[in-house]
Amino acid sequence: EIAGEKSGILKQNVPCVIGLQKWRSTLKIVRKKAEELNVPAFALGEDVGFNIEEDSFSVRIADYEYEDLRTNLLGRFQLENLAVSVVCAHLLKDHFSLSDDKIRNALLDIYWPGRMQVIKENPGVILDAAHTPESIEVLGEELRNKYSSQEIITILALSCDKDRENIIRKADSFSDELIFTDIDNPRLSSKTELLSIAKEAGVVNCISADFDGLTRKIIKDKSQDKVFLVTGSIFLVSRALEVFKNELL
């Protein structure tokens, strides 16, 4: 249903670039709509070659290949998204002054706050506005790969209209500890409500805490064996970005 709604944005004869899809049924729906409108479709992983190396990635469109692309963003999912952007830039070359060097340099100079953003080291503090079970799961996989030898402590706030139990379960699957919190926003669940949901779901290593108190402790902490993840809500991530920038400047 969602794929059908999203494909409504397609315009006749205007190329469409499709990112990697977890479900083939989604791709099938978008392709069908594209065919109806005579839209040239470029699906990553099928019509477009995509490969990730240790610290770079490559994209191939027909006989043209962009090799050894690098970026300052962290996470495999970021590279998947950027590959879509590279394809779009390639298709626009005939209409705008876009050289290969411009595309490469742009990938190295991206500022995307609140998207796997490392805002502090020792201990590491990462901000990410993931707020669905799927995005939390992907985020967890990235963190476990990157910080395999460190303790991951997840600070979580969730809006009342989200799939709270499943998000909590996904976060618990990669976290050594969950800390539920809240800030002054009417759309957010209270930290005590989130803790109750977690306990009913069988989550053991979890507590609730005041966010301002948490940030003060983290700023004073000098540990090298921990990573704090702030996630679950763009409202919480925005507040965290404000607090940590003010305190760390």
Side-chain angles (χ1 to χ4, degrees):
E1 183 180 346
I2 294 175
E5 292 177 358
K6 295 291 185 182
S7 62
I9 199 173
L10 299 181
K11 304 298 181 186
Q12 192 165 15
N13 300 316
V14 177
C16 166
V17 183
I18 308 167
L20 289 178
Q21 299 299 314
K22 185 175 182 179
W23 296 283
R24 289 199 60 80
S25 57
T26 302
L27 181 58
K28 186 176 179 180
I29 291 169
V30 178
R31 280 197 183 279
K32 184 175 183 296
K33 185 67 173 179
E35 290 173 5
E36 292 173 1
L37 295 173
N38 195 33
V39 168
F42 298 85
L44 206 65
E46 293 193 1
D47 311 292
V48 176
F50 173 61
N51 186 52
I52 296 178
E53 304 294 339
E54 185 174 344
D55 55 1
S56 66
F57 67 103
S58 62
V59 176
R60 187 184 71 257
I61 305 113
D63 295 329
Y64 201 97
E65 186 162 13
Y66 296 86
E67 296 182 294
D68 196 33
L69 297 171
R70 297 169 185 269
T71 182
N72 57 335
L73 297 182
L74 299 176
R76 179 187 173 92
F77 66 95
Q78 305 271 40
L79 303 186
E80 294 174 359
N81 292 336
L82 289 177
V84 172
S85 298
V86 170
V87 178
C88 290
H90 177 82
L91 296 174
L92 290 169
K93 272 186 170 181
D94 292 339
H95 307 280
F96 298 92
S97 178
L98 289 173
S99 66
D100 286 10
D101 284 343
K102 279 187 177 181
I103 294 172
R104 289 180 180 278
N105 291 336
L107 294 174
L108 289 167
D109 191 30
I110 300 172
Y111 178 61
W112 198 345
R115 195 63 169 156
M116 208 163 173
Q117 180 183 8
V118 179
I119 200 167
K120 182 181 183 297
E121 300 281 0
N122 299 328
V125 177
I126 299 170
L127 311 183
D128 196 290
H131 56 273
T132 65
E134 295 79 12
S135 59
I136 290 287
E137 181 178 20
V138 170
L139 176 60
E141 291 171 357
E142 295 289 349
L143 291 177
R144 271 300 169 205
N145 286 333
K146 185 171 179 60
Y147 301 102
S148 58
S149 62
Q150 292 170 276
E151 181 182 2
I152 296 177
I153 301 168
T154 298
I155 300 169
L156 191 68
L158 296 170
S159 294
C160 298
D161 61 345
K162 300 304 177 185
D163 186 355
R164 296 177 296 181
E165 181 176 335
N166 280 327
I167 292 173
I168 289 169
R169 288 182 185 276
K170 295 295 185 183
D172 179 54
S173 70
F174 65 82
S175 304
D176 294 286
E177 182 181 16
L178 283 178
I179 302 178
F180 299 109
T181 192
D182 52 29
I183 56 174
D184 186 17
N185 187 296
R187 293 183 61 182
L188 290 179
S189 305
S190 71
K191 56 183 176 288
T192 52
E193 185 178 7
L194 294 177
L195 183 62
S196 176
I197 293 171
K199 293 293 187 183
E200 289 179 8
V203 177
V204 176
N205 296 319
C206 60
I207 60 172
S208 63
D210 172 72
F211 184 66
D212 289 337
L214 272 175
T215 55
R216 285 193 293 270
K217 289 180 181 178
I218 293 171
I219 288 166
K220 293 177 181 178
D221 197 333
K222 303 298 179 184
S223 306
Q224 297 184 22
D225 58 350
K226 303 178 185 173
V227 174
F228 290 91
L229 168 66
V230 181
T231 190
S233 163
I234 193 169
F235 305 117
L236 179 68
V237 167
S238 297
R239 174 64 179 151
L241 188 61
E242 177 186 344
V243 170
F244 281 106
K245 278 199 167 183
N246 288 339
E247 293 293 334
L248 296 174
L249 286 177

